[in-house]
């Protein structure tokens, strides 16, 4: 178990290093030198003195040796200084991201957790009934093959325009200010349904298919045969199979986190939902490199953290990790 | 299994047939479509905007008055191209790395796998964003290259696992004992057994590349010139196509992408049945 | 030994085929035998003769195996034709199996104690109630009580197999099928397992035992009666001593003579095998299946030989048509 944990932690730390380094290195080595471009843009803005004093700009100081720039970059990172946003000047990037984060989480977290729980149940159920299997499988395939944002567009079309049940943009209606009133909460939920729904449904398809295949595999395993030969009910066999099939699904969740986050970002764009994806898009459109970089780092950090949590969870549910002597299962 | 058996099961499998038909249709559309369309330039402004599908414009026009059908078939070309180039690149890189890591083992393996794991955790899109954002000019070619170079990790891992399991099989030991050259062992003994697997991997990479490119295009990091299905969707979203009721603009490109990717998954499921006798319907 | 022992399992003309794309593989094609209470029946034959199909088919028939006809009477009922619900009552309690895949017969993510408890609950029992019994059985197979709290992954291969032996016999089945359980073991481990089975029989833990193996030397140590199968059919059924001293069926004869013997110098005498291969059972036609390799074959062998009775022994060979040793 210890070996498993240390190996994972090592990878995550290294990954973070690698990601930060890429983040630092790429603007420098790209043709056209975006840094100069950035700085010259800043020089033209009001209060540019304040910006020039931004640590980030100093880190970009091209008169300093490369390694010093690199170290400064890390120092800035630990101070939470991700630079100043051009798009939302003069707000610091860190603040912009912090404001957008809750919106991303409120859609992403329930979508991931619920789709995992329900999708797996669905998949296991469908594996048993042949006729249902033939009908449900194409549906699941279509769901999981859809680009997240396209599915969002589809839902927006059906439930926002054809049958106008839900709003198509924003986290809440224009006139309302965020508060803890019933009014706001209902309005918020109203806007939340479609972005959540599109993420949820696409992911659901993926889990259902995966689980269906895993269940079939587990039902053919020797231990299932043995149980059946010794007179067990289908119920017990299925229960055991489900328990074992969930394990690779959890691993799959960890692997998918990156893709899922990316999907969530694009979905936000479709619905103009003010999460990290939305501001990222704005950053790209406005060539706000600081914002783009900040988002990148943040996404990486988030994904690494989530991965780590999933790994710990996996360790808890798979007894073989605890008992085995090797680092891998 | 023998070639004869393979062909027999391959051609009999419903899923495989379905997938082949769909792709044949798509490829024909991509090749011939641009000649069928009365408009030669997808970016030309050829008529009044906001038009629903009609005789002059088979899939209507968008806000600017560009013909959707023309854009669709050109965009289809671009997507197929990215899938092919990006997917092939990712498969080849993944094959090489996974194979070397699995076959050589030891330090090679540890380092390569560490590198692979790192790259795997980073969300591909994020990586692509950070690279693509700084490129002064982007084309479909470059896009395919960077997708290929970032999508290979899971292939490498899968190939490595296969190599490891095959490496310890008896026929490889036999080849070693008879002092065949390592290259010959690789190509003569191990490769043939992995071929079916590699083919299936390639299919997934093909689909993945298409999705990745579409995603990139959608956020605005696609080719700076030209058209693709992702770009169409981006523009549709930016110009509020849905709010304005222009479903032919917003939904059609995505539907085509979904069709392409879903068909690939079906193909893979079919191939699984062909290669694994237990799954075959009798 | 007063009277005739009761028959626990009576198999008559059992047919189990495999359904394939090209037709039926007639793996078990008209096999008849019986097992009496307290008896150990050895089922012997080379690979592909149908013994595993028979053993597994009796307790759990899964596609592509198909029950084609005949009967297997246990406790008055034909267990091949029971409904799934009735089968569940018969399995474990009346008929049980130590499978060939004993090494991964246990769910890797559950503690052994839990597996036993769940299994027992399916039959109206519980771990708690049988705790003492389980501990007794563990002693017979030389396993400590601690294993109950472990996961299967923590046990060695041999330990796992012995654990499965305990699990499979917890309900004292009338018929226990042991499918190639010694095949992967070294000689001394084989000996231990055989002794454990003996002890189990002494203690009446199982009512009878059907021991499937391709290894005649193992059978010699354990079986009371031996059934030799060839190509899906019975070649011969005889008591152990008789088979060794005076094999009847040509196949049995050649099988025995192909065994290396202690004291013979094989640099001087050549070890005889049986030339040729068993026939393919796919869509196989009538006639004795051994005739292509049999040195005594004659024209009558083109017809299916019935099973003849020779002094209480059973042989399926036209040579014994007149009921005596030819």
């Amino acid at each position: 178990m210890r070996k498993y944990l240390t190996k994972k932690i090592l990878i995550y730390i290294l990954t973070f290093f690698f990601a930060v380094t890429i983040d630092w290195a790429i603007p420098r080595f790209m043709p056209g030198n975006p840094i100069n471009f950035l700085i010259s843009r800043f020089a033209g803005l009001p209060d540019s003195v304040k910006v020039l004093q931004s640590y980030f700009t100093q880190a970009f100081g091209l008169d300093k040796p490369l390694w010093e720039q690199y170290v400064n970059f890390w120092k800035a990172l630990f101070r939470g200084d991700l630079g100043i946003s051009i798009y939302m000047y003069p707000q610091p990037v860190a603040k912009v991201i912090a404001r957008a984060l809750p919106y991303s989480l409120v859609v992403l977290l329930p979508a991931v957790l619920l789709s995992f729980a329900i999708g797996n149940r669905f998949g296991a159920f469908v594996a048993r009934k042949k006729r249902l299997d033939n009908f449900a499988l194409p549906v699941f395939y279509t769901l999981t093959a859809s680009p997240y944002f396209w599915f969002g567009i589809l839902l927006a079309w059906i439930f926002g325009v054809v049958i106008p049940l839900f709003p198509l943009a924003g986290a809440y209606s224009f006139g309302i200010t965020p508060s803890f009133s019933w009014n706001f909460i209902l309005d918020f939920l109203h806007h939340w349904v479609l972005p959540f729904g599109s993420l949820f449904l696409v992911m659901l398809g993926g889990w259902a298919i995966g689980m269906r295949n895993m269940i079939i595999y587990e039902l053919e395993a020797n231990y299932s045969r043995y149980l059946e030969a010794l007179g067990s009910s289908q119920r017990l066999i299925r229960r055991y199979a489900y328990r074992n099939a969930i394990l690779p699904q959890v691993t799959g969740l960890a692997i998918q986190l990156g893709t899922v986050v990316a999907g969530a970002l694009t979905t936000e764009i479709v619905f103009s939902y003010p999460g990290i994806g939305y501001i990222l898009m704005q950053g790209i459109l406005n060539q706000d490199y600081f914002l783009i970089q900040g988002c990148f780092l943040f996404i990486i950090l988030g994904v690494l953290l989530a991965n780590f949590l999933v790994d710990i969870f996996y360790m808890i549910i798979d007894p073989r990790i605890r008992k085995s002597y090797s680092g891998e299962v | 299994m023998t070639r004869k058996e393979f062909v027999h099961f391959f051609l009999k499998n419903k899923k495989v047939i379905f997938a082949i038909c769909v792709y044949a249709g798509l490829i024909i559309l991509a090749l011939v479509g641009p000649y069928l369309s009365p408009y030669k330039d997808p970016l030309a402004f050829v008529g009044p905007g906001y038009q629903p599908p009609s005789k002059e414009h088979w899939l209507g026009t968008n806000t600017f008055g560009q013909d959707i059908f023309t854009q669709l078939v050109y965009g289809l070309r671009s997507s197929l191209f990215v899938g092919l180039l990006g997917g092939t690149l990712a498969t080849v890189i993944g094959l090489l790395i996974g194979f070397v890591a699995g076959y050589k083992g030891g330090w090679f393996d540890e380092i390569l796998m560490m590198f692979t794991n790192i790259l795997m955790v980073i969300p591909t899109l994020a990586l692509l964003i950070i690279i693509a954002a700084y490129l002064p000019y982007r084309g479909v070619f470059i896009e395919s290259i960077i997708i290929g170079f970032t999508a290979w990790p899971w292939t490498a891992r899968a190939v490595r696992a296969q190599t490891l399991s095959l490496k310890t099989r008896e026929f490889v030991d036999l080849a070693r004992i008879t002092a065949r050259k390592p290259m010959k062992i690789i190509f003569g003994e191990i490769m043939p057994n992995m071929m079916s697997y590699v083919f299936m991997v390639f299919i997934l990479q093909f689909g993945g590349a298409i999705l990745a490119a579409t995603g990139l295009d959608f956020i605005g990091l696609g080719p700076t010139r030209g058209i693709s299905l992702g770009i169409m969707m981006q523009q549709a979203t930016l110009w509020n196509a849905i709010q304005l009721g222009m479903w032919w603009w917003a939904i059609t490109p995505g539907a085509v992408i979904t069709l392409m990717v879903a068909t690939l998954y079906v193909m893979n499921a079919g191939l699984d049945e062909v290669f694994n006798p237990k799954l075959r319907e009798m | 030994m007063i009277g005739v022992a009761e028959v626990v399992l009576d198999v008559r003309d059992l047919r189990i085929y495999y359904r394939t794309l090209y037709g039926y593989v007639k793996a078990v094609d008209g096999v008849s035998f019986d097992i009496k209470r307290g008896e150990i029946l050895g089922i012997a034959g080379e690979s592909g003769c149908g013994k595993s199909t028979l053993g597994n088919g009796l307790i759990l028939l899964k596609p592509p195996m198909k029950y084609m006809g005949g009967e297997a009477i246990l406790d008055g009922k034909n267990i091949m034709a029971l409904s799934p619900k009735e089968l569940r009552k018969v399995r474990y309690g009346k008929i049980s199996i130590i499978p060939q895949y004993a090494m991964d017969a246990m769910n890797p993510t559950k503690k052994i104690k839990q597996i036993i408890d769940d299994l027992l609950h399916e039959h109206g029992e519980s771990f708690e109630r049988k705790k003492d019994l389980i501990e007794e059985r563990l002693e017979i197979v030389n396993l400590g009580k601690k294993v109950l709290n472990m996961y299967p992954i923590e046990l060695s291969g041999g330990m796992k197999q012995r654990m499965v032996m305990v699990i499979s016999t917890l309900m004292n089945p009338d018929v226990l099928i042991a499918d190639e359980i010694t095949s992967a073991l070294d000689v001394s481990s084989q000996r231990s397992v055989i002794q454990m089975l003996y002890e189990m029989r002494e203690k009446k833990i199982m009512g009878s035992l059907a021991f499937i193996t391709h290894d005649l030397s193992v059978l010699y140590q354990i079986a009371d009666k031996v059934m030799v199968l060839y190509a899906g059919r019975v070649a011969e059924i005889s008591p152990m001593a008789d088979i060794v001293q005076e094999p009847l069926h040509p196949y049995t004869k050649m099988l025995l003579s192909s065994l290396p013997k202690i004291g013979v110098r094989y640099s001087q005498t050549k070890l005889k095998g049986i030339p040729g291969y068993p026939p393919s059972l796919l869509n196989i036609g009538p006639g004795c299946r051994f005739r292509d390799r049999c040195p005594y074959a004659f024209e009558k062998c083109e017809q299916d030989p019935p099973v003849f009775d020779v002094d209480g022994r059973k042989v399926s060979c036209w040579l014994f048509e007149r009921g005596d040793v030819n």
Side-chain angles (χ1 to χ4, degrees), chain C residues 232-282:
Chain C
R233 293 202 167 144
V234 175
E236 177 172 355
I237 304 180
S238 301
M240 186 78 233
D242 293 340
I243 266 216
V244 171
Q245 296 192 338
E246 201 193 349
L248 292 179
H249 197 282
Y251 175 60
T252 323
K253 276 201 206 135
M254 298 178 81
L255 205 58
L256 283 169
S257 65
S258 70
L259 287 178
K261 295 174 185 53
I262 299 180
V264 179
R265 288 185 149 220
Y266 287 100
S267 53
Q268 294 161 356
T269 329
K270 264 183 111 176
L271 188 62
K272 267 189 286 186
I274 310 181
Y277 298 98
S280 158
L281 298 178
L282 176 64

Side-chain angles (χ1 to χ4, degrees), chain A residues 219 222-234 236 239-240 243-244 247 318-320 322-324, chain C residues 59-60 62 88 91-92 96-97 99 101 104-107 109-110 115 118-119 122-123 151 154 164 167-168:
Chain A
L219 286 176
N222 280 330
Y223 70 84
S224 294
R225 259 171 83 186
Y226 186 55
L227 280 180
E228 196 177 356
L230 295 193
S232 301
S233 59
Q234 284 303 313
L236 180 68
R239 182 156 62 95
Y240 272 27
R243 183 69 176 60
N244 285 4
L247 297 175
D318 188 349
R320 289 175 292 182
R322 280 178 268 143
K323 301 288 174 179
S324 108
Chain C
I59 192 167
L60 178 64
K62 271 214 168 292
R88 283 212 319 260
R91 288 172 181 156
Y92 205 26
S96 187
I97 187 170
Y101 50 84
D104 37 54
M106 293 185 284
N107 184 346
T109 59
K110 293 253 178 210
I115 299 176
D118 286 335
L119 206 46
E122 296 288 305
H123 295 268
Y151 289 94
E154 300 176 73
V164 168
I167 297 179
S168 295

Side-chain angles (χ1 to χ4, degrees), chain C residues 230 254 272-278 290 292-295:
Chain C
Y230 184 78
M254 298 178 81
K272 267 189 286 186
I274 310 181
Y277 298 98
F290 190 57
D292 293 329
R293 303 163 84 186
C294 181

Side-chain angles (χ1 to χ4, degrees), chain A residues 7 10-12 14-16 18-19 22-23 26-27 30-32 34 130 137 141-147 149-150 153-154 156-157 161 168-169 216 220 255 257-259 261-263 265-267 269-271 277 280-281 284-285 289-290 292-293 296 299-300 303-304 307 328, chain B residues 15 110 113-115 117-127 129-136 154 157 160 211 214-215 218-221 230 233-234 236-238 240-247 250-258 261-263 265-266 269 278-279 281:
Chain A
K7 205 172 181 188
L10 187 65
I11 290 186
Y12 291 140
L14 277 179
T15 309
F16 189 60
F18 186 68
I22 287 193
D23 195 38
I26 291 207
M30 277 297 168
K130 199 71 206 296
L137 220 49
Y141 270 125
T142 312
L143 283 178
T144 192
S146 312
F149 56 92
W150 177 75
I153 293 179
L154 191 67
W157 170 247
V161 178
L168 293 175
I216 291 182
E220 287 180 355
I255 296 178
L257 277 172
T259 321
V261 166
L265 299 186
T266 54
T267 308
I269 295 174
V270 168
F271 292 99
L280 179 60
M281 164 91 140
I284 293 176
L285 285 176
Y289 291 125
F290 288 153
I292 296 176
Q293 282 187 300
F296 173 74
I299 294 170
I300 299 280
V303 170
L304 284 178
N307 255 308
E328 292 198 45
Chain B
K15 296 190 169 95
E110 289 288 336
M113 276 305 114
M114 184 127 301
F115 182 57
N117 281 328
I118 290 178
L119 218 51
M120 221 167 83
V121 175
I122 301 181
T124 316
L125 200 65
L127 204 57
I129 289 175
I130 209 74
I131 297 177
Y134 292 102
L135 288 174
W154 71 264
R157 268 186 85 158
R160 171 182 175 272
L211 278 177
T214 312
F218 183 72
I219 325 183
L221 289 173
M233 289 202 270
Q234 182 212 20
T237 309
L238 278 179
N240 296 316
I242 285 294
Q243 282 87 331
L244 295 171
M246 291 195 276
W247 57 267
I251 300 197
T252 329
V256 172
I257 300 260
T258 307
V261 177
T263 310
Y265 289 158
V266 168
K278 272 203 215 160
L279 294 173
E281 309 144 4

Side-chain angles (χ1 to χ4, degrees), chain A residues 172-185:
Chain A
Y172 46 86
S173 306
F174 266 133
I176 309 191
T177 40
S179 63
F180 272 116
S181 67
W182 237 166
N183 203 7
F184 175 70
I185 292 182

Side-chain angles (χ1 to χ4, degrees), chain B residues 106-274:
Chain B
W107 269 120
F108 251 71
D109 186 22
E110 289 288 336
I111 295 183
L112 279 177
M113 276 305 114
M114 184 127 301
F115 182 57
T116 308
N117 281 328
I118 290 178
L119 218 51
M120 221 167 83
V121 175
I122 301 181
T124 316
L125 200 65
L127 204 57
L128 286 172
I129 289 175
I130 209 74
I131 297 177
Y134 292 102
L135 288 174
Y137 163 73
R138 296 183 294 268
V140 185
F141 189 70
I142 294 281
E143 191 179 34
S144 313
I145 302 279
I146 56 180
I147 288 179
F149 271 95
T150 48
W152 56 264
W154 71 264
T155 303
R157 268 186 85 158
V159 167
R160 171 182 175 272
Q162 274 284 53
T163 311
L164 282 178
S165 92
L166 280 177
K167 186 165 90 160
T168 54
R169 294 261 192 96
E170 295 82 22
F171 58 86
V172 175
D173 286 332
L174 197 62
R176 272 223 190 98
I177 293 176
T178 57
R180 282 180 96 185
K181 291 220 183 87
M183 263 302 149
K184 282 215 157 182
I185 298 183
I186 294 176
F187 282 108
E189 309 282 346
I190 303 190
M191 274 296 189
N193 277 285
M194 287 216 297
M195 265 312 129
S196 57
Y197 191 69
V198 169
F199 190 58
M200 287 167 69
V201 160
F202 170 70
I203 290 184
L204 289 177
Q205 284 287 26
F206 185 83
I210 294 182
L211 278 177
T214 312
L216 258 190
D217 296 350
F218 183 72
I219 325 183
L221 289 173
T224 36
R225 277 188 316 209
I227 193 79
S228 81
L229 297 174
I231 293 182
M232 286 173 76
M233 289 202 270
Q234 182 212 20
Q235 293 187 330
T237 309
L238 278 179
W239 295 95
N240 296 316
I242 285 294
Q243 282 87 331
L244 295 171
M246 291 195 276
W247 57 267
W248 53 92
W249 190 20
I251 300 197
T252 329
V256 172
I257 300 260
T258 307
L259 178 66
M260 285 204 280
V261 177
T263 310
L264 288 177
Y265 289 158
V266 168
M267 173 72 146
N268 242 3
L271 278 179
D272 227 352
E273 284 171 9
V274 170

Side-chain angles (χ1 to χ4, degrees), chain A:
Chain A
M1 169 165 96
R2 203 169 300 155
K3 201 171 170 200
Y4 173 80
L5 262 182
T6 40
K7 205 172 181 188
K8 290 279 175 185
I9 294 182
L10 187 65
I11 290 186
Y12 291 140
I13 295 183
L14 277 179
T15 309
F16 189 60
F17 251 94
F18 186 68
V20 171
T21 307
I22 287 193
D23 195 38
W24 171 85
I26 291 207
R28 269 163 187 66
F29 300 114
M30 277 297 168
N33 204 332
I35 313 299
N36 281 335
F37 170 75
L38 263 178
I39 297 195
S40 60
R41 269 187 89 171
F42 269 131
L45 290 165
D47 279 339
S48 52
V49 178
K50 216 189 324 173
V51 174
L52 286 171
Q53 277 182 355
S54 158
Y55 204 82
F56 215 63
T57 322
Q58 280 185 330
F60 273 131
L62 297 162
D63 49 332
K64 298 209 183 72
L66 229 61
W67 68 266
E68 210 178 317
Q69 289 182 38
Y70 184 56
V71 170
N72 287 339
F73 189 77
W74 274 101
K75 282 199 210 159
L77 199 62
F78 278 115
R79 281 205 336 235
D81 180 359
L82 290 167
I84 308 278
S85 159
I86 301 176
Y87 158 62
M88 296 207 74
Y89 184 85
Q91 304 210 11
V93 167
K95 204 161 167 213
V96 175
I97 292 183
R99 249 208 330 252
L101 184 61
Y103 290 108
S104 285
L105 287 180
V106 85
V107 172
L108 189 56
L109 281 180
V112 170
L113 295 173
L114 282 176
S115 69
F116 190 77
I118 300 181
N120 279 321
R121 281 281 163 199
F122 252 144
F125 182 72
V126 152
R128 289 187 269 137
K129 319 261 179 199
K130 199 71 206 296
R131 229 171 287 158
L132 187 60
D133 192 40
N134 286 328
F135 163 71
L137 220 49
V139 172
F140 290 142
Y141 270 125
T142 312
L143 283 178
T144 192
S146 312
Y148 286 98
F149 56 92
W150 177 75
F151 203 75
I153 293 179
L154 191 67
L155 282 189
W157 170 247
I158 300 177
F159 296 108
V161 178
V162 176
I163 319 169
L165 277 177
F166 294 101
L168 293 175
Y172 46 86
S173 306
F174 266 133
I176 309 191
T177 40
S179 63
F180 272 116
S181 67
W182 237 166
N183 203 7
F184 175 70
I185 292 182
L186 279 177
D187 183 59
F188 184 81
L189 282 177
H190 198 218
H191 281 79
W192 171 87
V193 172
L194 285 186
F196 163 79
S198 53
L199 277 178
F200 172 76
L201 285 171
V202 173
M203 285 195 264
L204 186 89
W207 296 130
I209 293 183
M211 190 53 158
R212 170 204 176 261
N213 291 335
M214 287 317 305
I215 288 272
I216 291 182
Y217 178 74
E218 294 293 324
L219 286 176
E220 287 180 355
N222 280 330
Y223 70 84
S224 294
R225 259 171 83 186
Y226 186 55
L227 280 180
E228 196 177 356
L230 295 193
S232 301
S233 59
Q234 284 303 313
R235 202 140 178 240
L236 180 68
I237 300 175
R238 269 186 264 132
R239 182 156 62 95
Y240 272 27
Y242 190 82
R243 183 69 176 60
N244 285 4
I246 281 274
L247 297 175
Q249 292 290 82
V250 171
T251 308
L253 176 63
I255 296 178
Q256 290 248 35
L257 277 172
T259 321
V260 164
V261 166
L265 299 186
T266 54
T267 308
E268 285 173 18
I269 295 174
V270 168
F271 292 99
S272 300
Y273 206 76
I276 307 246
Y278 184 73
I279 59 168
L280 179 60
M281 164 91 140
Q282 299 299 322
I284 293 176
L285 285 176
N286 287 286
Q287 291 186 301
D288 184 351
Y289 291 125
F290 288 153
L291 187 58
I292 296 176
Q293 282 187 300
C295 285
F296 173 74
L297 279 179
F298 200 79
I299 294 170
I300 299 280
L301 202 56
V303 170
L304 284 178
L305 191 65
N307 255 308
F308 188 61
L309 289 173
V310 173
D311 284 335
I312 298 213
F313 178 65
Y314 185 81
M315 193 178 72
I316 297 177
I317 59 175
D318 188 349
R320 289 175 292 182
I321 298 272
R322 280 178 268 143
K323 301 288 174 179
S324 108
Y325 303 114
S326 69
E328 292 198 45
V329 175

